[in-house]
Amino acid sequence: MNNINLKKSSIRSKFIYLRNQVKLYHSSVLNSQIISKIKSLEEYIVAQSIMFYLSFGSEVNIDNLIEFSLYKNKTVLVPKIINKSKNTMCAIQISNIKYDIIKSTYGIREPNFQNMKYYNKNNINLIFIPGVVFDVHGYRIGYGKGYYDRWLQNIPKCKIIGIAYDFQIVKNLPIEQYDLSVGTIVT
């Protein structure tokens, strides 16, 4: 493991620990505030096709935003891992978060295989991504597998919005050549 990966691993551990310390009630309030901010973003209002993440662990939970977007007849997409050995994913369209989503063997929520409709990533208007920590330049550290960095290649960063709690924003992060930045971060 190189020096940058060691730094990233240490930062990742620290911020996962901090995020896990947020009390359930407090995270619910913060999640609602973040969702309200997103609903008022012009980019969100005009977007017809939106990719969301399915929260895991103590990530900002945006399930209510996904349900609201479905209610507003937006095309709602979520990620699906398609090749773990190559760390690749795709966008899958869903029409109901309760019925189209299942828990994988690792406890990660994903689209149900029976209802999958693949969607071309270049046709997506807006993409929301989680992060363990972001810096003020839009770079992020996730869980370290590089799924989003690979998948987001060639997508304009103005279409990519990171979601995090305020304390997950730092001045600078160690970055490598393949790391991509987001256009906006909502906290």
Side-chain angles (χ1 to χ4, degrees):
M1 191 179 279
N2 68 32
N3 194 30
I4 289 180
N5 285 338
L6 285 172
K7 286 179 184 176
K8 285 182 173 184
S9 181
S10 174
I11 293 167
R12 180 181 299 112
S13 295
K14 174 185 174 183
F15 279 89
I16 288 173
Y17 173 81
L18 290 172
R19 197 177 63 193
N20 288 342
Q21 300 311 303
V22 177
K23 301 288 185 230
L24 184 60
Y25 169 77
H26 191 61
S27 68
S28 294
V29 170
L30 295 174
N31 294 345
S32 293
Q33 291 172 349
I34 290 168
I35 289 170
S36 289
K37 285 182 183 180
I38 291 169
K39 285 180 181 178
S40 68
L41 290 175
E42 183 67 22
E43 299 95 319
Y44 171 79
I45 293 167
V46 300
Q48 287 303 305
S49 57
I50 305 172
M51 182 164 168
F52 297 94
Y53 63 89
L54 297 168
S55 63
F56 174 74
S58 56
E59 290 177 338
V60 175
N61 186 312
I62 57 171
D63 286 4
N64 288 339
L65 180 61
I66 294 171
E67 289 176 352
F68 178 77
S69 299
L70 288 165
Y71 171 77
K72 289 291 194 178
N73 293 315
K74 294 181 183 285
T75 299
V76 172
L77 310 151
V78 295
K80 169 71 178 157
I81 305 304
I82 54 174
N83 189 324
K84 287 184 182 174
S85 65
K86 293 184 180 179
N87 296 340
T88 55
M89 66 183 204
C90 65
I92 302 293
Q93 184 176 348
I94 64 168
S95 57
N96 186 305
I97 193 169
K98 290 179 176 53
Y99 301 114
D100 292 347
I101 303 300
I102 60 171
K103 274 197 177 179
S104 73
T105 53
Y106 301 106
I108 297 170
R109 296 182 305 153
E110 61 184 14
N112 185 342
F113 272 113
Q114 298 171 17
N115 303 330
M116 293 207 300
K117 295 179 194 170
Y118 291 86
Y119 203 87
N120 184 329
K121 71 179 183 177
N122 296 313
N123 295 333
I124 301 173
N125 302 133
L126 197 59
I127 302 166
F128 290 102
I129 66 170
V132 173
V133 60
F134 291 87
D135 72 15
V136 296
H137 309 288
Y139 289 99
R140 65 184 273 284
I141 292 177
Y143 287 107
K145 298 291 185 188
Y147 288 106
Y148 279 103
D149 287 320
R150 283 178 186 79
W151 191 78
L152 291 169
Q153 287 180 355
N154 303 316
I155 299 290
K157 76 178 193 175
C158 63
K159 288 184 167 189
I160 308 166
I161 297 179
I163 299 178
Y165 298 120
D166 287 341
F167 66 85
Q168 292 176 265
I169 310 297
V170 297
K171 187 173 181 179
N172 288 301
L173 288 173
I175 59 170
E176 296 175 273
Q177 66 184 23
Y178 58 82
D179 290 331
L180 300 175
S181 63
V182 300
T184 304
I185 303 168
V186 178
T187 64

